[in-house]
Amino acid sequence: MVWGRTSELKYLNAYFDREGSQIVVVYGERNVGKTALLEQFVQDKPYSYYRARSASEREQRYLWGAEVGKGGGIVSKYPSFTEILQSLCVHKMNKKVIIIDEFQYIIKAGSEFMKELTAFLSDMAKEMQIMVVLCSSSIGWVENSMINRIGDAAHELSGLLKVRELSFETTMEYFPGFSMEQCIEAYAVLGGMPGLWRHFDDKLSIRENICRHILTKGCYLHYEGQRIVEEELRETSVYDTILASIAAGNHKLNDLYLHTEFSRAKISVYLKNLMELELVEKIFSYDTEGKANAQKGIYRITNHFVDFYFTFLYPNLSRLEQLSPEKFYLSFIAPAFKGYVAEYFKTVCQQHIEKWSKWKRLPIEVDRIGEWVGKFGTIDVVAQSQEGETIIGICNWDKPMMRYDDYEWLLFCAQKAKLHADYIYLFSVGRFDEKLDLEAKVKRNLRLISLDEM
């Protein structure tokens, strides 16, 4: 079963139902669930699948041809792409799907594939209809290089589908055995990546899952944090240094410069590459009149699992080799885990605001949402309507109780941001102090939200 991909399946089926042949590009990060999505899409359709390799064009044709031969097709030892496609479509049918996974390897190796593919589809137009799905995990390449590499063939592309991370809400559906708190912790570690979710067991605690499925040598997730980075990047020593520095709390360009001693120009180039791969993002404070009190822009690791890896494993690899998973967890993860999860709890709260707005459960209709990152404090949630009505909020994960002075601090930050708060939402995994409870009973624009309400 594919979770949370209704709109993506609808998109693909719409192209399948169109008259004529189609070429659709499907792309997204590693582990985001592209393969599972496509498996669901073709489960009731005739299809063929080929996973391209990093190889020369001749070797690619040889490998693909060998697979076709094993499947009963008749091709020469070193077939042309046209010969391969003809063999795949020898049996006439209403419509067939051909999936070519990691197709960027074929394009990078030579220019013949797209020429032969578009010519083949044109020649076959009267005989049968074909939907070709070109799939890729290389986001940066698809968005920045693909069109130039395929040239005129770009005009033959029918559609482009970016498969994005799933929401926290889908995490809860996937892990019914986890409590709300455990789902938030799992989301903080794995993000919205179903390819990673399948390695966690909701019959175990989060600690047991981390020890068994991340910290244990030989398991898939033990190496995945590094693999995600190495798959797309050269000069990994530089990228690793920058990612480790961000994970250690150096979020500004100048902080990265002071820590790494790389030139600011060099850091900026490498950060640009990381942002193109959606491993890092630059956070700009929510646009308000209080710009003088806001930070200009800070960098954060966006891929949850890469962040977890560079926060806890990468700086302690020597001890990871020496200690048992349980001892490593207690020594290096447990002391800082609540603080780590707290950052992602903010994302969960923002997603709930968006969901409540969609369900018409808010006093305003949210047009945009973000956070205000100040020089002295942060407003975790800022949501505004088109008319300028504003909700602000803070999110408490790591303290057992949210206190009245947390509320006062939020009001202070709002003053610095020059934000008029029409409504105030306080999210807390722990309880609220008595003074806050009384304040919420008096002020109708103040809401205290526990995990149960979420």
Side-chain angles (χ1 to χ4, degrees), residues 61-104:
R61 290 186 281 106
Y62 167 76
L63 292 168
W64 196 353
E67 288 189 17
V68 171
K70 289 175 184 176
I74 301 174
V75 294
S76 60
K77 186 174 182 179
Y78 297 100
S80 66
F81 289 118
T82 301
E83 188 180 347
I84 292 169
L85 293 167
Q86 287 172 338
S87 181
L88 293 175
C89 299
V90 68
H91 301 295
K92 303 298 184 291
M93 53 193 69
N94 290 334
K95 197 160 196 175
K96 180 172 184 175
V97 180
I98 298 175
I99 299 172
I100 305 169
D101 205 354
E102 303 302 352
F103 79 101
Q104 73 275 6

Side-chain angles (χ1 to χ4, degrees), residues 23 57 81-82 85 106-107 110-123 149-154 156:
I23 304 175
E57 192 172 77
F81 289 118
T82 301
L85 293 167
I106 303 179
I107 306 299
S111 59
E112 290 305 307
F113 171 70
M114 289 303 294
K115 293 177 184 177
E116 293 188 45
L117 173 62
T118 54
F120 174 77
L121 293 180
S122 178
D123 292 342
R149 291 300 297 266
I150 66 177
D152 291 340
E156 303 301 320

